[in-house]
Amino acid sequence: MIALPDLAILIAAAGRGRRAGEGVPKQYRDLAGEPMLARTLACFIRALPGSLLLPVVHRDDLALFQTVLGRIGTDFAQQLSPPVFGGATRQESVRCGLEALSNRLPPPEIVLIHDAARPFVSRALIARAIRAAQDHGAAVPGVALTDTIKEIDPDGSIAKTLPRSRLRAIQTPQAFRFDLILAAHRQAAAAGIYDLTDDAAVAEFAGHRTHVFEGEDSNVKITIHEDLASAEHKLQDALTDIRTGQGYDVHAFEAGDHIWLGGVRIGHDRGLAGHSDADVLSHAITDAVLGALADGDIGSHFPPTDPQWRGAPSRIFLDAAAAKLRARGGVLAHIDATVVCERPKIGPYREAIRQSIAKIVDVCIDRVAVKATTSERLGFTGREEGIAAFAIATIRLPR
Ligand code: MG
């Protein structure tokens, strides 16, 4: 973890950019099953747990933003400030965010300003940005160019060749002393300038020298459909840390007329006893996912002593485990589960249960296996005293 000054991160996500395809703005488009903005936010949540994250969004995108919040999971979403609405240009949007931050007491010492369309920002780059802002007051990441850059005349012919060694392609996060960049933005707006394309240009306008630190080639900005496709491949290729987790759970029968398995209500001549809805299968799968993440178990995240979980539908627990996985940048590769009981017969419900689980954890149904067996009338399951469930979850995490 990085030692933090009083820091805020402003995520510029108000753009209307639709070059990446039809429909929703690109920052809300799916990137390997996750909205791009959710991935970008998760990069900062992972690198700087507990720091202040302020998204600046377009007022027409509130519903899309709510979907992103749902994908991040409640634990992590708590780290986000309520979004601020942006203006007509990127520069205006950033200023709206800075003004909102200036109302905090005390305002932050350092602010990082990052584009939502750069979902591959690394922990190391974020650390460099913070350090550079502390050392220089205004600093931006830049990478050396591999292409030769030409300046052209209006007729399309080359006017001159620029010396490549002195050129840098500038990225985000751009990092500033908060008071410096706020004043620079106010100064530009007061002068009627609204369309500077990055915050370094705003600092430059206000007469500040801006330091350029080492950016990263992998910190690409996604602007066109082809970028989205190649970013998908890159993400899938990067998920090479493959882990498995196992889960096991038992619930005893009690008086009742139905049980829950994998979020499906099954009529039966008894019910299952438990603090929540006693969905033994969902509990085993939740523990398998948490096990694969090495992140405690269902009891540590949802203590049975906590009254808020009384009678709770267990899809909440499973959904939360899946959100934890997504917040770590991972995907669920497979679930394999077995229910052990004499009755009720699970076979007729198997497809409904698979479908329900797949929907809760948001994967294709071909990644969810549900099997059932009896224990040949042996043991507690054989005596029909309760139901047991086993589950294995395989997950893929970034290295
Ligand atoms: Mg249980």
Side-chain angles (χ1 to χ4, degrees), residues 248-251 273-274 276 278-284 287 298 314:
Y248 171 67
D249 197 30
V250 171
H251 281 263
S276 64
D279 185 336
V280 61
L281 176 59
S282 292
H283 294 183
D287 260 354
I298 192 168
S314 296

Side-chain angles (χ1 to χ4, degrees), residues 261-346:
L261 282 182
V264 174
R265 190 183 193 276
I266 297 174
H268 189 48
D269 54 16
R270 275 180 282 180
L272 287 173
H275 189 72
S276 64
D277 64 0
D279 185 336
V280 61
L281 176 59
S282 292
H283 294 183
I285 297 171
T286 302
D287 260 354
V289 174
L290 292 172
L293 288 168
D295 185 359
D297 59 23
I298 192 168
S300 59
H301 293 290
F302 307 99
T305 48
D306 188 334
Q308 70 169 308
W309 309 124
R310 187 186 304 281
S314 296
R315 101 176 78 84
I316 293 175
F317 312 144
L318 190 47
D319 182 55
K324 279 179 184 296
L325 170 59
R326 287 193 294 267
R328 297 259 299 263
V331 297
L332 191 51
H334 194 71
I335 290 169
D336 183 22
T338 303
V339 179
V340 186
C341 63
E342 301 294 327
R343 289 188 317 123
K345 288 295 166 210
I346 306 302

Side-chain angles (χ1 to χ4, degrees), residues 169-185:
I170 299 301
Q171 308 180 329
T172 67
Q174 303 195 348
F176 304 93
R177 254 191 16 244
F178 179 74
D179 54 351
L180 179 157
I181 196 66
L182 174 66
H185 266 273

Side-chain angles (χ1 to χ4, degrees), residues 63-362:
L64 290 167
F65 182 73
Q66 291 299 333
T67 313
V68 167
L69 283 189
R71 300 290 302 185
I72 294 174
T74 42
D75 288 12
F76 298 98
Q78 281 168 6
Q79 198 172 325
L80 296 183
S81 288
V84 167
F85 292 135
T89 63
R90 184 190 184 282
Q91 184 193 328
E92 274 293 277
S93 294
V94 170
R95 192 175 61 83
C96 294
L98 294 173
E99 293 290 357
L101 289 172
S102 75
N103 292 329
R104 298 181 67 90
L105 287 174
E109 181 191 329
I110 300 286
V111 62
L112 304 188
I113 303 171
H114 187 70
D115 287 330
R118 291 191 192 267
F120 297 111
V121 56
S122 75
R123 201 179 287 244
L125 180 56
I126 292 169
R128 281 204 294 283
I130 295 171
R131 216 169 303 123
Q134 287 173 306
D135 291 347
H136 303 278
V140 299
V143 291
L145 299 171
T146 48
D147 295 331
T148 298
I149 306 293
K150 310 277 190 191
E151 191 178 311
I152 56 168
D153 280 331
D155 70 357
S157 60
I158 291 171
K160 67 175 168 187
T161 301
L162 299 169
R164 195 169 63 185
S165 63
R166 293 188 55 197
L167 295 174
R168 295 290 180 273
I170 299 301
Q171 308 180 329
T172 67
Q174 303 195 348
F176 304 93
R177 254 191 16 244
F178 179 74
D179 54 351
L180 179 157
I181 196 66
L182 174 66
H185 266 273
R186 285 176 175 171
Q187 198 178 326
I193 291 168
Y194 300 109
D195 52 5
L196 298 174
T197 53
D198 75 347
D199 301 288
V202 178
E204 206 178 317
F205 167 81
H208 297 288
R209 268 185 88 77
T210 300
H211 174 75
V212 177
F213 59 95
E214 196 60 37
E216 284 177 355
D217 287 329
S218 58
N219 180 32
V220 291
K221 183 171 185 176
I222 294 173
T223 44
I224 55 170
H225 187 69
E226 288 69 38
D227 294 342
L228 207 54
S230 76
E232 290 239 13
H233 283 125
K234 184 175 149 171
L235 264 174
Q236 293 292 352
D237 290 350
L239 298 177
T240 53
D241 187 359
I242 295 170
R243 303 181 181 195
T244 54
Q246 58 111 3
Y248 171 67
D249 197 30
V250 171
H251 281 263
F253 280 122
E254 63 175 12
D257 62 1
H258 69 277
I259 63 170
W260 288 94
L261 282 182
V264 174
R265 190 183 193 276
I266 297 174
H268 189 48
D269 54 16
R270 275 180 282 180
L272 287 173
H275 189 72
S276 64
D277 64 0
D279 185 336
V280 61
L281 176 59
S282 292
H283 294 183
I285 297 171
T286 302
D287 260 354
V289 174
L290 292 172
L293 288 168
D295 185 359
D297 59 23
I298 192 168
S300 59
H301 293 290
F302 307 99
T305 48
D306 188 334
Q308 70 169 308
W309 309 124
R310 187 186 304 281
S314 296
R315 101 176 78 84
I316 293 175
F317 312 144
L318 190 47
D319 182 55
K324 279 179 184 296
L325 170 59
R326 287 193 294 267
R328 297 259 299 263
V331 297
L332 191 51
H334 194 71
I335 290 169
D336 183 22
T338 303
V339 179
V340 186
C341 63
E342 301 294 327
R343 289 188 317 123
K345 288 295 166 210
I346 306 302
Y349 302 97
R350 183 208 305 262
E351 291 314 299
I353 293 171
R354 288 177 67 208
Q355 214 155 51
S356 163
I357 294 167
K359 191 163 175 228
I360 296 166
V361 298
D362 198 11

